[in-house]
Amino acid sequence: MKIFGLIGFPVKHSYSAIMHNAAFQALGIDARYELFEIQPQKLEVELKNKLKQGVSGLNVTIPYKEKVIQFLDHIDEEADLIGAVNTVKIDAGGESTGFNTDGRGFITHLKEAVGFDPKGKAAAVLGAGGAAKALTAILAKSKAKTISIFDIDSQKTKELIERLKIICPQCLLKEAKDANDLLSGEPDLLINATPIGMSKSDHLVFDPTLLQKKMVVYDLVYNPAQTPLLIEAKARGCAGVFNGLGMLLYQGVLAFRIWLEADPPIDVMEEALREVLTKT
Ligand code: NAP
């Protein structure tokens, strides 16, 4: 039996196992997807253990998308450009290669399901961590007119902006002074790429009156399905309000293709996610 899994801290919130196990079962593949919670100081040791144990593929989540790179044997071009890895393929000899499917997963959902093309549009991104790196890279490649970013760690934002300049020299890239400043330019697309909203005690980090009706609001958090940001955006009549479930589905579809070099049953994966949502 092939073993796949998610490494991160925390991982209990994740629906990745539900989605991938449904796909394995539908295709009759002898494989299982597990959640591996790894304490921050144990990443290197635990990752090496997983490789030794013959794990075939991993997803990587918060807070390891950047940290994991140093422990991998190879990194593909796209993940290298982004500077973050969310998918690892391990070959029969135990060699690991890092990929990133977050950006393409995000843009596939944004364009095909949401119907929003970022070309020529103003985007605002809260967070400059692993997920933000991937989705701002794809927004830059998609020729967004402006990309504004705010992270509590200003150095991270500055480094991300330097990366994005290489991908899209003509994009207008801005470091927002704070979360309110991020919304002051009245972006067409507002994305939360921080964990804010995952915990019940989380609340909005900007003035809600800054949310405008024309905005599409996309929260990468999907568990809970309704975050304070999404509740507020809906109440204020924003043009589109989406949680991270669509992105989760499409980044998972792309990861499945990398691991198994086969097309996954997207409808089965989507149905498994819908089912778990109705139960939560
Ligand atoms: P990450 O690498 O830890 O990045 C999060 C960033 O947000 C960090 O730089 C963090 O700074 C910053 N931050 C935290 N609180 C903030 C605040 N109040 N204001 C501004 N910035 C703040 O995490 P990640 O891997 O990018 O994941 C981010 C979120 O996206 C998680 O909830 C994850 O589950 C979700 N996600 C969803 C999908 C999907 O498919 N739907 C895919 C990827 C990620 P510090 O490090 O200093 O705290």
Side-chain angles (χ1 to χ4, degrees):
M1 176 184 268
K2 283 187 188 272
I3 300 292
F4 298 88
L6 173 70
I7 58 167
F9 186 82
V11 293
K12 282 191 278 289
H13 66 279
S14 173
Y15 295 159
S16 287
I18 291 162
M19 163 174 86
H20 284 292
N21 285 328
F24 296 149
Q25 200 181 352
L27 296 182
I29 296 172
D30 189 19
R32 196 173 67 231
Y33 189 108
E34 296 179 11
L35 301 179
F36 303 120
E37 189 152 281
I38 296 181
Q39 301 284 331
Q41 64 282 13
K42 293 189 179 152
L43 176 63
E44 182 175 8
V45 174
E46 292 287 329
L47 180 68
K48 284 187 177 152
N49 281 345
K50 296 277 164 279
L51 300 186
K52 263 194 238 146
Q53 288 157 5
V55 166
S56 301
L58 291 168
N59 280 135
V60 184
T61 191
I62 183 171
Y64 299 139
K65 289 181 193 222
E66 295 143 300
K67 288 187 192 116
V68 78
I69 293 174
Q70 61 191 306
F71 306 124
L72 302 176
D73 298 311
H74 312 283
I75 179 160
D76 98 320
E77 210 179 298
E78 184 183 25
D80 194 28
L81 186 76
I82 291 169
V85 158
N86 80 323
T87 300
V88 181
K89 181 172 182 164
I90 300 122
D91 69 18
E95 288 220 350
S96 56
T97 306
F99 298 85
N100 196 307
T101 68
D102 274 339
R104 279 181 293 129
F106 168 76
I107 204 78
T108 304
H109 182 246
L110 188 70
K111 281 189 176 172
E112 290 180 12
V114 176
F116 183 95
D117 184 347
K119 188 174 177 188
K121 300 283 192 344
V125 181
L126 188 66
K133 279 181 166 179
L135 63 91
T136 52
I138 206 87
L139 288 171
K141 269 191 183 169
S142 306
K143 308 237 173 341
K145 188 173 72 184
T146 65
I147 304 174
S148 306
I149 304 167
F150 174 67
D151 192 288
I152 36 175
D153 183 342
S154 167
Q155 191 53 36
K156 273 193 195 170
T157 309
K158 288 186 172 63
E159 282 168 18
L160 178 52
I161 286 178
E162 287 311 307
R163 267 179 189 278
L164 295 172
K165 275 184 192 163
I166 299 164
I167 299 171
C168 183
Q170 69 275 32
C171 292
L172 208 67
L173 304 163
K174 183 190 160 197
E175 178 181 2
K177 288 197 299 285
D178 53 37
N180 282 343
D181 185 36
L182 186 67
L183 273 89
S184 63
E186 299 190 5
D188 304 294
L189 176 65
L190 169 67
I191 304 164
N192 174 36
T194 74
I196 301 165
M198 285 173 83
S199 162
K200 281 205 173 99
S201 56
D202 287 346
H203 48 79
L204 273 190
V205 292
F206 54 81
D207 175 359
T209 64
L210 293 169
L211 287 167
Q212 305 287 318
K213 283 198 164 57
K214 70 159 189 168
M215 292 178 186
V216 169
V217 177
Y218 201 117
D219 198 331
L220 262 53
V221 174
Y222 57 82
N223 185 7
Q226 298 297 325
T227 62
L229 170 61
L230 298 178
I231 291 166
E232 197 66 52
K234 221 174 254 173
R236 288 177 187 273
C238 289
V241 181
F242 299 89
N243 67 23
L245 210 69
M247 174 175 170
L248 178 76
L249 171 66
Y250 287 104
Q251 64 75 32
V253 165
L254 295 164
F256 189 105
R257 286 197 187 119
I258 290 170
W259 293 327
L260 292 152
E261 293 168 18
D263 276 330
I266 301 177
D267 50 341
V268 170
M269 294 165 84
E270 192 169 9
E271 186 50 37
L273 291 176
R274 278 194 204 292
E275 208 175 299
V276 71
L277 262 196
T278 58
K279 287 182 193 154
T280 52

